């Protein structure tokens, strides 16, 4: 009996213990209210290492467990001399944040800039969020590193390019002002005679002779290089400089011009028409001009003429036309024997293995003047005969 009573008593004590624990545990979904009301201003990174000239954004959070919804005024209590900063939210400056009781507002940030003149060392910034009867302060430790300022630089990404004589070359360069003051950089290029070099801020089309750059800033620069029309094949170097009162920054561009081929066929006068007579050879002077920067060799002349016509050349194959040179030759065109009076088209083509050109001549075939004289004489003779016959038989 004693054992049974002991077991019952132990069971009762266990049930009482469980009931007490359940009574102390809050119901699911019920907010835990802190024993003492408070407000907290915090940031995930209260200590940072920065460089002079850096722009910093500190994310802030305001925990309101004061027991009531209220507005909190944001203030900068302490900041090193010459430094500046503002509170912001959603891209706008703010000075007051409203937080409901039990709410954490984490959409606020503190934006600041470290002065370029800031010396290496330890600095503190103290911020405050103050409501009615509750406030909190946040101290941020900033270590400005002893970054040594270097010289400015003017560098090009790909300094060597190649193309033909008709290519406009564009180089992408970067200009960096790594000093503590704004600088004016004057641009210059030493290009061969006939070449054009221009400087433009990246993304713009306006040519500039100089650029003003703020301290510790970078500017992209596009450099446009245009070779002269009849430039010879080869590699050309173009030194470029950006100069201030205290610095001279430079690099050298390299442009390789490949061989270009261009041929023009014409006549000395530029006239592409002439008169001819059937079954008679007409002479046409031709000019062949090498407009490229590479010599042309074995230039062949061919033709396409109406049926029954013949075209021959004084020189069917021209062995050499130097770059920029012009040579002359002669074409002999003979209309067919039965060619009637009128206009006809004859095409002459000049070509080598790299380039070609063709011109179309308008050939006007005319009646031979001798036959016209014979016809007139025959008509006159016939008239005389008729007149004589009429006179003789008229008297009878």
């Amino acid at each position: 009996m004693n054992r049974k009573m002991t077991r019952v008593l132990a069971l009762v004590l266990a049930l009482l213990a469980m009931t007490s624990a359940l009574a102390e545990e809050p119901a699911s979904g019920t907010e835990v209210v802190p024993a003492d009301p408070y407000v907290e201003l915090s940031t995930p990174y209260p200590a940072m290492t920065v460089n002079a000239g850096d722009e910093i954004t500190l994310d802030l959070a305001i925990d309101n467990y004061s027991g009531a919804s209220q507005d909190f005024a944001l203030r900068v209590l302490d900041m090193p001399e010459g430094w500046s900063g503002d509170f912001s939210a959603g891209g706008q400056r703010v000075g007051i944040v409203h937080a409901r009781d039990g709410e954490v507002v984490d959409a606020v940030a503190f934006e600041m800039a470290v002065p370029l003149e800031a010396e290496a060392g330890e600095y503190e910034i103290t911020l405050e969020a103050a409501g009615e009867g509750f406030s909190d302060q946040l101290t941020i430790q900033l270590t400005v590193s002893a970054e040594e300022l270097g010289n400015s630089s003017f560098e090009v990404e790909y300094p060597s390019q190649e193309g033909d004589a008709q290519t406009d070359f564009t180089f992408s360069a970067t200009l960096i002002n790594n000093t503590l003051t704004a600088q004016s950089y004057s641009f210059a290029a030493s290009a061969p005679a006939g070449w054009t070099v221009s400087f433009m801020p990246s993304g713009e089309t306006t040519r500039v002779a100089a650029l003003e750059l703020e301290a510790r800033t970078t500017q992209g620069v596009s450099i446009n290089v245009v070779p002269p029309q009849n430039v010879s094949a080869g590699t050309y170097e173009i030194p470029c400089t950006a100069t201030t009162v205290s610095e001279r920054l430079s690099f050298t561009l390299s442009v390789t011009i490949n061989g270009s081929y261009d041929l023009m066929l014409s006549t000395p006068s530029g006239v592409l028409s002439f008169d001819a007579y059937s079954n008679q050879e007409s002479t046409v002077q031709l000019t062949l001009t090498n407009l490229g920067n590479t010599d042309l060799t074995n230039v062949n002349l061919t033709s396409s003429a109406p049926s029954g016509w013949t075209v021959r050349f004084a020189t069917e194959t021209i062995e050499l036309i130097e770059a920029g040179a012009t040579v002359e030759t002669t074409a002999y065109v003979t209309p067919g024997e039965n060619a009637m009076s009128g206009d006809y088209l004859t095409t002459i083509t000049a070509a080598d293995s790299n380039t070609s050109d063709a011109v179309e001549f308008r050939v006007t075939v005319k009646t031979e003047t001798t036959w016209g004289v014979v016809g007139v004489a025959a008509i006159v003779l016939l008239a005389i005969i008729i007149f004589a016959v009429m006179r003789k038989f008229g008297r009878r």
Side-chain angles (χ1 to χ4, degrees):
M1 190 69 169
N2 290 336
R3 291 181 180 177
K4 187 174 182 179
M5 290 296 295
T6 302
R7 291 177 181 176
V8 171
L9 181 59
L11 179 61
V12 171
L13 291 175
L15 290 174
L16 289 174
M18 291 176 62
T19 303
S20 177
L22 289 174
E24 292 177 0
E25 183 178 350
S28 177
T30 303
E31 183 178 358
V32 178
V33 179
D36 297 322
Y38 73 93
V39 169
E40 182 182 18
L41 176 64
S42 63
T43 182
Y45 308 106
M48 301 177 66
T49 299
V50 297
N51 296 319
D54 284 352
E55 295 182 355
I56 304 168
T57 299
L58 298 172
D59 295 325
L60 303 177
I62 301 175
D63 298 16
N64 179 18
Y65 288 98
S66 63
S69 299
Q70 57 178 301
D71 295 334
F72 293 92
L74 302 177
R75 302 188 184 94
V76 179
L77 296 183
D78 186 32
M79 179 174 281
E81 184 177 356
W83 294 42
S84 62
D86 294 290
F87 295 94
S88 66
Q92 302 292 328
R93 293 183 179 180
V94 297
I96 297 177
V97 175
H98 179 79
R100 294 188 295 270
D101 183 40
E103 181 182 21
V104 177
V105 178
D106 58 2
V108 185
F110 184 69
E111 298 179 352
M112 57 168 293
V114 181
L116 284 169
E117 300 80 9
E119 297 181 356
E122 303 291 332
Y123 297 85
E124 286 188 355
I125 297 174
T126 303
L127 309 178
E128 182 186 53
E132 295 182 7
F134 292 88
S135 65
D136 191 34
Q137 297 178 1
L138 170 64
T139 299
I140 301 166
Q141 304 284 341
L142 293 179
T143 301
V144 177
S145 65
E147 181 188 26
E148 183 177 351
L149 295 176
N151 295 327
S152 301
S153 65
F154 190 31
E155 298 178 349
V156 62
E157 186 174 7
Y158 301 107
S160 299
Q161 295 185 25
E162 63 179 38
D164 58 31
Q166 283 73 46
T167 302
D168 288 359
F169 300 89
T170 300
F171 297 85
S172 296
T174 302
L175 179 62
I176 301 176
N177 176 10
N178 203 30
T179 69
L180 292 176
T181 59
Q183 301 288 334
S184 178
Y185 296 87
S186 298
F187 298 118
S190 300
W195 289 64
T196 301
V197 181
S198 54
F199 298 85
M200 295 168 287
S202 294
E204 300 184 17
T205 57
T206 303
R207 299 179 180 182
V208 297
L211 277 178
E212 185 82 14
L213 227 61
E214 295 297 326
R216 302 289 299 278
T217 57
T218 300
Q219 173 66 56
V221 180
S222 294
I223 305 173
N224 185 248
V225 178
V226 180
Q229 184 176 4
N230 296 321
V231 63
S232 300
T235 299
Y236 299 82
E237 292 190 346
I238 304 172
C240 298
T241 59
T243 307
T244 68
V245 293
S246 58
E247 291 182 300
R248 178 182 174 85
L249 313 174
S250 64
F251 55 73
T252 299
L253 303 177
S254 177
V255 175
T256 300
I257 301 296
N258 300 323
S260 64
Y261 303 91
D262 193 8
L263 175 65
M264 183 179 70
L265 176 62
S266 187
T267 63
S269 64
V271 177
L272 302 178
S273 63
F274 61 90
D275 297 335
Y277 299 93
S278 60
N279 206 33
Q280 292 189 31
E281 192 172 72
S282 296
T283 301
V284 182
Q285 291 297 119
L286 301 175
T287 60
L288 294 89
T289 303
N290 183 355
L291 300 178
N293 60 18
T294 304
D295 294 347
L296 301 177
T297 58
N298 298 322
V299 180
N300 296 313
L301 292 168
T302 57
S303 65
S304 175
S307 178
W309 290 41
T310 60
V311 179
R312 66 184 184 89
F313 302 96
T315 305
E316 288 191 358
T317 300
I318 301 172
E319 294 183 357
L320 175 65
I321 307 177
E322 295 181 349
T326 298
V327 300
E328 294 188 0
T329 189
T330 305
Y332 302 94
V333 181
T334 303
E337 183 177 0
N338 298 321
M340 304 295 292
S341 298
D343 291 339
Y344 298 82
L345 295 178
T346 296
T347 302
I348 296 177
T349 302
D352 76 343
S353 58
N354 296 298
T355 185
S356 65
D357 192 25
V359 293
E360 196 173 60
F361 288 92
R362 189 181 74 249
V363 184
T364 302
V365 175
K366 295 185 175 182
T367 303
E368 178 62 55
T369 305
T370 303
W371 290 107
V373 174
V374 172
V376 172
I379 294 173
V380 172
L381 179 60
L382 180 60
I384 292 174
I385 293 174
I386 293 173
F387 178 76
V389 171
M390 290 180 61
R391 188 174 182 186
K392 180 177 179 181
F393 291 98
R395 289 180 179 177
R396 295 180 181 179

